[in-house]
Amino acid sequence: MTEQLGFYFDQTLCNGCKACSVACKDKNDLKVGVTWRRVAEYSGGTWQQDGDTYVPNVFTYYTSMACNHCEDPICVRVCPTTAMTRGADGIVTVDAGKCVGCRYCEWACPYSAPQFNSETGHMSKCDMCADYRAEGQDPACVAACPARALDWGPIKELRAKHGDLAAVEPLPDPSITRPHLVITPHRDAQPTGTGTGALANPKEL
Amino acid sequence: MNTHELPMIIFTLLGQLSVGAFVILGAVRLFASRRYGKDVVAGFTDPALYAIGPALVLGLAASTLHMHDVSNTLNVFRHLGSSWLSREIVFSVTFGGLGLLLAAAQWFKWGSTRLRHALAAFTALVGLGLVYSMSMIYYSLPTVLAWHTWVTPVQFFTTTFLLGALAVGSAFAVTVMWRSRGAVKAGAELDDNRAGELLTTCLRGIGLSAIMLLGVEFIIIPLHISNLSAAGGVAAESARVFSGVWFISRLVLVFLGAGLLAVFLFRYASARANPRVLAGLVSTAFALVLAAELIGRSQFYASMIRIGI
């Protein structure tokens, strides 16, 4: 059986420069408003009492996110046309020749992976740079990261090496779609579902 | 008010109105035929039956505006195994096709009465399947908390029967009004005591059902809002959509519609009532409730706030 691929993200290394996002946009020639890889800034905090003094106890961290090529992709499940499919290597792709542009997958995906291209009237999404991988290169986002916070490979190997954490805030409960994603969490990463912070850049996502 | 999803608002409301009207017409024919004779009832209900088709076709036409590449439209039937959207489209087309066949059979008197009844019953079932599949499109998304709740199918079925009942009531009243006007012009005596009795009996039933369904709305709306608010996070954000001028307008319109129906039920719905007054009252109640449902459906789409990023 072909090995199932996934992404690895080391949150402890990411400094939020968004080079991954720009590299993806450049390589795939994405129009304004379509951004397959985005970087979420999540921040929050509380006041901590130290004797008679209250000191701020704050956190902020970045999460670089594209399609996670889920094991149970909700976009594939809901798509009425079968344009959205999952290949033997686990990569989820959209066939523009079949897509009707109803945007149902966009409603469904909790990672905003399928994105609507108003010029073509079809959905578009990350295919983990299939053309680059075929030539033995890394996906554009992975290659562009100056902090080496991103990686890709067989998900089994990534999990063996880095563990199986697939979600921290603001990512959704991974049991919904079973993403092929492994995260090394930031020291302040908040567990998924706790809602302790807020997105600082919602308009970029 | 959310107008981005206007094609879906129009499609879901007209689709539900069509199914509701069809089912209620069927019920009226079933129960009224025994007492008033099937010919009287058919003459009274056929115009309403023929009006359902254009409503559904208009809804389906609006739904195509939601698709951005119509050249791939036929692909939407491909994923029946797992996509509720595919299923909904199959149910819509089947309901429309069977309705057309039934209307033609009724017009040209094809087949036996029993066969037409069986076809009507099957069409009604397909229609109910359509409303169920419509609601499942939204309910089946665990990523949208405002939709992934029992309120979605309950609200869709309530809207179905509410709009269906009021549309049928208006159609009946208008039919009788036109006929009586025609009869007066022709100088004929209005022998329609039975027709008048049939109209008031039907309208009383319809009015009562509509008031009960409006009552259901007054229960599920606050429950939905309190459930979402209690869940916190994005669910609470969705709950905040149900506030402000549009939300208040919706409640006021529903309340006025129900009030008008109550007045009509207790004061005017008698066999000797002026059909014009009845038609005016029922049609106004229908227009008010339709406007309320339009706002409600628009807010339903506006409450789409997804979990994750």
Side-chain angles (χ1 to χ4, degrees), chain B residues 251-284:
Chain B
L251 295 184
V252 169
L253 288 167
V254 165
F255 193 74
L256 284 178
L260 213 58
L261 282 169
V263 168
F264 146 79
L265 273 180
F266 293 109
R267 300 216 33 201
Y268 294 105
S270 72
R272 281 164 293 141
N274 181 348
R276 285 178 74 172
V277 176
L278 287 184
L281 273 171
V282 182
S283 312
T284 310

Side-chain angles (χ1 to χ4, degrees), chain B residues 83-104:
Chain B
S83 173
W84 279 105
L85 187 49
S86 284
R87 293 169 192 164
E88 180 218 38
I89 294 164
V90 167
F91 272 115
S92 316
V93 173
T94 313
F95 177 65
L98 288 173
L100 186 69
L101 183 66
L102 184 70

Side-chain angles (χ1 to χ4, degrees), chain B residues 48-60:
Chain B
L49 177 68
Y50 299 136
I52 295 174
L56 184 68
V57 169
L58 188 66
L60 283 168

Side-chain angles (χ1 to χ4, degrees), chain A residues 60-94:
Chain A
T60 192
Y61 55 85
Y62 301 97
T63 308
S64 172
M65 192 50 42
C67 176
N68 293 309
H69 304 284
C70 304
E71 211 153 307
D72 184 12
I74 193 166
C75 56
V76 173
R77 225 187 304 156
V78 303
C79 173
T81 65
T82 64
M84 199 69 83
T85 48
R86 188 164 182 269
D89 55 0
I91 298 298
V92 177
T93 52
V94 59

Side-chain angles (χ1 to χ4, degrees), chain A residues 22-96:
Chain A
V22 175
C24 171
K25 228 172 157 51
D26 183 35
K27 187 261 168 183
N28 295 296
D29 203 14
L30 304 180
K31 68 188 278 291
V32 173
V34 179
T35 316
W36 293 345
R37 184 170 278 284
R38 293 135 292 129
V39 180
E41 301 177 24
Y42 193 73
S43 359
T46 52
W47 292 96
Q48 198 175 326
Q49 192 171 4
D50 186 10
D52 288 338
T53 315
Y54 283 90
V55 290
N57 179 14
V58 296
F59 61 83
T60 192
Y61 55 85
Y62 301 97
T63 308
S64 172
M65 192 50 42
C67 176
N68 293 309
H69 304 284
C70 304
E71 211 153 307
D72 184 12
I74 193 166
C75 56
V76 173
R77 225 187 304 156
V78 303
C79 173
T81 65
T82 64
M84 199 69 83
T85 48
R86 188 164 182 269
D89 55 0
I91 298 298
V92 177
T93 52
V94 59
D95 179 350

